[in-house]
Amino acid sequence: MAVAGGGFGGPVEVAVVAAAGETSLGPGSGGSSSSSSGSGCCSVWEVSSGASVAGYRGGCCAPRGLTLLGGEHLLGAQLGKACVGAWELQRKDQLQQKIICPGPVACLTVAPDGLYILAGIAESIYLWEVSSGNLLAILNRHYQDLSCLAFTDDSSHFLSGAKDCLVIVWSLYSVLQVEHGQSPEPRHVWSRHSLPITDLCCGVGGPLARAATASLDQTAKLWEISSGNLLLSVIFDVSIMSVTLDLAEYHMFCGGLDGSIFQVDLCSWPVQRERGFQSEQENGKIFKGHRNQVTCLSVSTDGSLLLSGSHDETVRLWDIQSKQCLRTVNYKGLYASV
């Protein structure tokens, strides 16, 4: 879920979704319906009402390849293509502008201050400066393809996850200050996952924040960025494809390979470093409705709503307290980036 101001007539909480093909509000939409078509598109709709705000035509975006730049532009890594699409938020129903890249972009993110762009291309991380367009660094510490990237909320650090099972924490200052010809040293290298990393996210607090990681090894883990310590490891019955935290970090939400979404309480007592999530015993903490893997998750600012995208070609809006699905949006296309 993305919060975009100005470009849509004032601050408003919206869902920004990319998928191929047609879009329509399905069952659970409160009786309203709308549709848009095109050979791949990004659509924006108000979270509270489900009303369509804007549509941007272009190719299908990679699952971790959709991001907002400074509240003025929308960037989307084109699936299987060596380019990134860019749209001006103020101009609706426009064709995308293309930014050519050295190879297909698997994941993409923008610093919250809007100054830098990160892209994962094969096993390398590319860092660009927005104002000049200059390529500032190419980082090569992963051994297999990148799968996800994320900045801390103060833009001081960023995290990278890859198919090599590693999550690496980087200090942006260290990367920018390294002398030409030398490679910057990561702040932390987390190697406690045993299968490829599928998703990661950062909480609030800059370098003092916590980070959550998800993996095909059927675990989601919570880390402390400042120390690099592992705080919590939760073991599930299925592989975890997506993860996010609410703003207050009371809960961690994990999207499963089977379509389930699991709510993990982070303030439960007694505190355990490792615990299992037993679906039979914790049925009241599972969101059920998707029929295929949940590829992306996002929580509303007030912590009351959860947005999920899935390979079942739907995006669903959930009430967190009741676990009820409030709205279903159908997308014709395999990938959905939220």
Side-chain angles (χ1 to χ4, degrees), residues 251-283:
H251 303 106
M252 178 169 64
F253 299 91
C254 305
L257 184 66
D258 64 349
S260 299
I261 303 171
F262 309 102
Q263 177 181 309
V264 179
D265 295 335
L266 300 181
C267 300
S268 59
W269 187 265
V271 177
Q272 296 174 288
R273 182 67 61 87
E274 182 174 305
R275 67 178 190 250
F277 190 100
Q278 303 299 327
S279 298
E280 298 80 6
Q281 301 175 12
E282 304 192 66
N283 190 53

Side-chain angles (χ1 to χ4, degrees), residues 63-131:
R64 301 278 173 263
L66 189 66
T67 186
L68 289 171
L69 172 60
E72 297 180 357
H73 293 84
L74 179 65
L75 303 180
Q78 302 300 284
L79 190 63
K81 298 180 180 179
C83 65
V84 171
W87 300 266
E88 291 182 43
L89 293 180
Q90 292 86 349
R91 297 180 59 187
K92 301 178 181 179
D93 297 320
Q94 61 166 319
L95 290 173
Q96 64 178 344
Q97 302 297 314
K98 291 185 178 180
I99 303 171
I100 304 303
C101 299
V105 177
C107 47
L108 183 73
T109 192
V110 172
D113 60 15
L115 299 180
Y116 303 98
I117 296 175
L118 284 174
I121 301 175
E123 70 279 2
S124 300
I125 303 170
Y126 287 73
L127 173 67
W128 284 281
E129 185 179 45
V130 172
S131 60

Side-chain angles (χ1 to χ4, degrees), residues 45-263:
W45 44 277
E46 280 191 26
V47 172
S48 58
S49 66
S52 177
V53 176
Y56 305 96
R57 297 189 299 276
C60 185
C61 293
R64 301 278 173 263
L66 189 66
T67 186
L68 289 171
L69 172 60
E72 297 180 357
H73 293 84
L74 179 65
L75 303 180
Q78 302 300 284
L79 190 63
K81 298 180 180 179
C83 65
V84 171
W87 300 266
E88 291 182 43
L89 293 180
Q90 292 86 349
R91 297 180 59 187
K92 301 178 181 179
D93 297 320
Q94 61 166 319
L95 290 173
Q96 64 178 344
Q97 302 297 314
K98 291 185 178 180
I99 303 171
I100 304 303
C101 299
V105 177
C107 47
L108 183 73
T109 192
V110 172
D113 60 15
L115 299 180
Y116 303 98
I117 296 175
L118 284 174
I121 301 175
E123 70 279 2
S124 300
I125 303 170
Y126 287 73
L127 173 67
W128 284 281
E129 185 179 45
V130 172
S131 60
S132 66
N134 291 336
L135 177 63
L136 302 180
I138 303 176
L139 307 176
N140 296 291
R141 285 297 297 264
H142 285 284
Y143 305 102
Q144 294 185 38
D145 289 357
L146 270 291
S147 55
C148 43
L149 292 162
F151 271 98
T152 55
D153 62 344
D154 67 345
S155 304
S156 67
H157 291 72
F158 60 90
L159 283 67
S160 58
K163 294 180 179 179
D164 59 9
C165 314
L166 299 178
V167 176
I168 300 179
V169 181
W170 306 85
S171 164
L172 180 61
Y173 177 81
S174 298
V175 171
L176 295 177
Q177 294 300 314
V178 70
E179 294 184 8
H180 181 72
Q182 295 185 352
S183 298
E185 285 297 316
R187 181 164 181 177
H188 304 296
V189 178
W190 295 333
S191 57
R192 301 289 291 274
H193 284 291
S194 58
L195 287 175
I197 309 301
T198 54
D199 196 14
L200 56 83
C201 71
C202 294
V204 297
L208 301 178
R210 300 187 293 181
T213 59
S215 170
L216 293 179
D217 66 7
Q218 300 186 357
T219 71
K221 300 183 188 296
L222 189 68
W223 311 78
E224 186 177 61
I225 292 178
S226 58
S227 66
N229 291 338
L230 176 62
L231 303 176
L232 173 67
S233 181
V234 184
I235 305 170
F236 298 88
D237 297 328
V238 298
S239 296
I240 302 301
M241 309 305 297
S242 53
V243 66
T244 194
L245 300 165
D246 61 20
L247 197 60
E249 297 182 27
Y250 288 139
H251 303 106
M252 178 169 64
F253 299 91
C254 305
L257 184 66
D258 64 349
S260 299
I261 303 171
F262 309 102
Q263 177 181 309

Side-chain angles (χ1 to χ4, degrees), residues 259-261 286-292 312 314 316 318 325:
S260 299
I261 303 171
I286 303 177
F287 301 78
K288 297 180 179 180
H290 284 299
R291 301 182 304 278
N292 206 331
D312 66 7
T314 68
R316 290 176 179 262
W318 308 83
C325 181

